Structures are given as C-alpha cells and as structure tokens.
Amino acid sequence: NAGSSDAKNLRVKLVLLGDSGVGKSCIVLRFVRGQFDPTSKVTVGASFLSQTIALQDSTTVKFEIWDTAGQERYAALAPLYYRGAAVAVVVYDITSPDSFNKAQYWVKELQKHGSPDIVMALVGNKADLHEKREVPAQDGIEYAEKNGMFFIETSAKTADNINQLFEEIAKRLP
Ligand code: GTP
Ligand code: MG
C-alpha cells in the first residue's frame, strides 16, 4: 500500500437494537439501497445486510449489519447479535417516549453484556414527524452524553442524516 499510508480496509460488525416500529429496517434499507418502504414489515428474528463506505483518507469500511427484531418475543435473541459487535446503534422514534425508554434499556443491556470497547450510537428516528415529536432532542443529547454515546436524529423517510450516521460511526472506530 505504498504511498497511501493511511488507507485501510476495515470490516465492522454492527447491530441495530430498539423497539418494534422505530424504523431500524428502514434505516438499513435507506443506507444500503437508497430506498424507503412505507409498508415495511416487522422483522422476524433478524436480518443481515452489508454495505461498504469510503472515507476521505481512502479507508474503506464494510459494515456487516445485523438488523434485529424489536418485538418483545424476540428479545432473548438479541445477545446472539450484539455479542462480538464492534458497533451498536440503538434506535428510538422521536414521537414515542416508550421507545426512548426502551432505548435506555438496550443501552444498559449493552453496558452489562456487550463488548467493553463497543462504539454506541443513539439514534432518534422519524425526525420528519416534527409535529408529532414527544421526545425533545435535548433529552437524547443528554442521555447520549452521559453514556459516552454518539447522538443523531435521522429520517429514513427523507434520508436526512442516514449517511452521516454511518460516517460518524466510521470515524469513531478504534
Ligand atoms: P421491527 O422490525 O418490528 O423491530 O421494527 P423496525 O424498527 O424495523 O421498524 P420498520 O423499519 O419496519 O418501520 C416501522 C414503520 O415506521 C414503517 O411503517 C415505516 O414506514 C415507518 N418509518 C420508518 N422510518 C421512518 C421515518 O424516518 N419517518 C417516518 N415518517 N416513518 C418511518
Ligand atoms: Mg425491522
């Protein structure tokens, strides 16, 4: 790799966690295929997709993404996916305080059972629904700060901040 001393090819296992319906699968679909599905079906078990991005220093990062099922009946499966993950993206819906509480549950679970050097992001999705907002951005910011997480609000529908989410994660990899 002469002449480009910074260039690397990284492979990163990433897991998405969060309540059913917050938009995890839509975030992944937007990131990987550039599409939005208003009739997105609930995920059963988990689904796997991968996507590679290039950073400015010509490093490439291949995200191996485990999109978990948020329905309560699948909660016991989550450790299979977050164990060994380098990155956890915990998603809530800005119109749903319940989903913000659930996000905090997942953060605690990751702190207890995830790998000690895991990179965690807190994502407030459905930012396009600002008229229905019930979780102030400030609450997300403060919770993320307290827990050493990166915070961002996204919209899988409008694509707002979706690429930025993954770029910011890539920058924070050890
Ligand atoms: P589980 O698979 O059950 O855990 O749910 P999920 O988190 O994967 O939710 P999913 O991505 O399937 O999205 C649920 C619903 O929210 C769908 O009707 C989506 O169209 C809608 N949705 C997802 N993201 C957004 C968004 O950014 N804005 C709006 N307005 N709707 C969204
Ligand atoms: Mg899903």
Side-chain angles (χ1 to χ4, degrees):
N1 223 346
S4 56
S5 54
D6 285 342
K8 307 175 269 189
N9 299 304
L10 303 175
R11 227 174 45 154
V12 175
K13 183 179 166 188
L14 179 150
V15 64
L16 282 120
L17 295 163
D19 219 351
S20 182
V22 298
K24 298 179 297 298
S25 298
C26 288
I27 288 170
V28 177
L29 186 70
R30 174 59 79 185
F31 175 55
V32 174
R33 302 225 178 90
Q35 297 167 355
F36 177 68
D37 178 7
T39 64
S40 180
K41 303 280 180 303
V42 301
T43 302
V44 172
S47 84
F48 177 81
L49 284 107
S50 73
Q51 173 73 316
T52 302
I53 64 170
L55 303 182
Q56 293 196 330
D57 64 358
S58 72
T59 298
T60 67
V61 180
K62 181 180 184 189
F63 288 107
E64 299 177 335
I65 302 169
W66 286 99
D67 170 23
T68 65
Q71 287 186 331
E72 199 54 45
R73 72 181 81 161
Y74 301 111
L77 296 178
L80 297 176
Y81 302 104
Y82 68 64
R83 206 175 291 139
V87 179
V89 175
V90 179
V91 184
Y92 66 92
D93 169 352
I94 67 151
T95 73
S96 162
D98 279 354
S99 77
F100 186 55
N101 288 336
K102 194 61 192 268
Q104 297 178 27
Y105 161 83
W106 283 119
V107 171
K108 287 183 198 114
E109 176 97 359
L110 288 161
Q111 287 167 342
K112 270 186 262 170
H113 305 296
S115 82
D117 53 357
I118 196 163
V119 172
M120 290 198 285
L122 181 65
V123 175
N125 189 45
K126 308 197 186 182
D128 57 288
L129 300 177
H130 39 83
E131 281 163 14
K132 295 187 183 162
R133 177 191 288 275
E134 292 197 33
V135 183
Q138 195 57 32
D139 290 10
I141 292 168
E142 279 170 19
Y143 185 79
E145 226 164 58
K146 254 187 248 156
N147 290 278
M149 304 171 80
F150 164 66
F151 175 74
I152 195 166
E153 289 192 346
T154 58
S155 169
K157 185 175 179 181
T158 65
D160 201 35
N161 274 348
I162 298 293
N163 287 337
Q164 286 83 342
L165 164 63
F166 290 90
E167 283 162 14
E168 290 298 327
I169 287 167
K171 286 187 203 160
R172 284 167 173 76
L173 295 172

